[in-house]
Amino acid sequence: LDEEVGGRIALHEAAKNGRVSCLEILCETAELDLLSTEGMAAVHLAAQNGHAECIELLVRHMANINIADLGANGFTACHHAIQNLQSRCVEVICHLGADLSVQDKKGRTPLQLCQLIVSKYSQGSDQEKEKVASIEKVVMWHENGRLLLRACERGDYNETRQLLETDDFRRILYHDCEEISPLKHVAKPAFLKNWIPRDTQEAFLAIVNALTE
């Protein structure tokens, strides 16, 4: 470790500075989740500094997207991206399957941190407020989308119906990092036959059809 740069190795420096080509080479041999003496992994540094492509590369080489840093807050990459208003990084991290239930040392999930950031920038510029709102929307979309996906996987019609009737019912179009969407489950004959009462199947299919037009 090079103490002159905060105990960071070449991998950390490449991630921090968005050096994708260098990072790709380093990913072949480096320990991807190694923490610097500052307690930061490469994925934290990439998220903090807005390098979404570096995050994708690290995760593709099996870096842990949910690892927490050793700082005062215990942030994951998602927390870091939110804290620093890195909207593209937040979007990529969520799509890569980050666990949005992970809490920092103060007990805050990414969505709860979003809500604090929204409050913090309530008196900020229009541009800042717009960026914060877009970040919160992305996190909510993925968190609620996964709730719907799990409900559909379980074949839980009542919860599925309830989730579809809430504010953003188009989350049925959500898909996870493996490209699995709620539609892939609700469209199965077994789901309709075993979990949805016959007299409501037509209404349910009407909802699905409306969402996919």
Side-chain angles (χ1 to χ4, degrees):
L1 294 178
D2 184 351
E3 298 295 340
E4 293 183 2
V5 288
R8 295 189 292 271
I9 58 174
L11 180 81
H12 297 139
E13 289 298 303
K16 178 184 177 182
N17 294 293
R19 302 291 296 276
V20 178
S21 57
C22 293
L23 188 63
E24 191 161 12
I25 296 170
L26 293 165
C27 280
E28 298 296 333
T29 56
E31 183 181 341
L32 301 186
D33 295 330
L34 180 68
L35 300 179
S36 69
T37 55
E38 296 171 325
M40 300 279 279
V43 71
H44 299 140
L45 294 163
Q48 191 178 60
N49 291 281
H51 302 306
E53 193 173 351
C54 290
I55 295 170
E56 291 178 305
L57 181 60
L58 287 161
V59 174
R60 189 162 69 243
H61 283 81
M62 305 305 293
N64 182 0
I65 194 68
N66 296 312
I67 190 173
D69 69 31
L70 297 182
N73 290 310
F75 277 176
T76 63
C78 195
H79 287 96
H80 275 294
I82 292 168
Q83 179 76 18
N84 291 279
L85 305 187
Q86 303 292 358
S87 54
R88 176 58 183 157
C89 288
V90 173
E91 186 175 352
V92 165
I93 289 166
C94 288
H95 184 68
L96 288 171
D99 185 350
L100 299 180
S101 67
V102 175
Q103 300 177 347
D104 65 12
K105 289 181 179 178
K106 297 181 180 179
R108 301 172 298 192
T109 65
L111 181 56
Q112 289 169 329
L113 181 61
C114 272
Q115 291 164 345
L116 288 174
I117 297 296
V118 168
S119 176
K120 176 182 175 181
Y121 284 95
S122 61
Q123 302 301 318
S125 68
D126 289 343
Q127 185 178 8
E128 288 173 331
K129 287 188 284 188
E130 183 178 346
K131 181 175 285 191
V132 169
S134 70
I135 290 173
E136 184 182 33
K137 184 176 180 180
V138 166
V139 176
M140 288 184 68
W141 168 266
H142 282 270
E143 186 168 90
N144 292 331
R146 287 173 197 176
L147 288 175
L148 180 59
L149 182 58
R150 300 290 90 82
C152 289
E153 284 177 339
R154 293 194 305 273
D156 189 330
Y157 170 72
N158 289 328
E159 186 175 349
T160 298
R161 181 83 187 203
Q162 183 178 14
L163 287 166
L164 287 174
E165 290 174 345
T166 55
D167 55 343
D168 190 1
F169 59 86
R170 286 188 176 272
R171 67 172 64 98
I172 199 169
L173 301 177
Y174 164 85
H175 56 84
D176 65 11
C177 58
E178 297 178 348
E179 302 301 321
I180 297 175
S181 74
L183 277 176
K184 289 189 177 181
H185 294 286
V186 301
K188 294 177 181 177
F191 184 96
L192 297 174
K193 179 180 177 181
N194 297 327
W195 296 99
I196 301 178
R198 186 179 299 274
D199 60 350
T200 60
Q201 285 186 22
E202 184 176 344
F204 187 82
L205 284 173
I207 293 174
V208 173
N209 290 334
L211 291 169
T212 55
E213 287 179 350

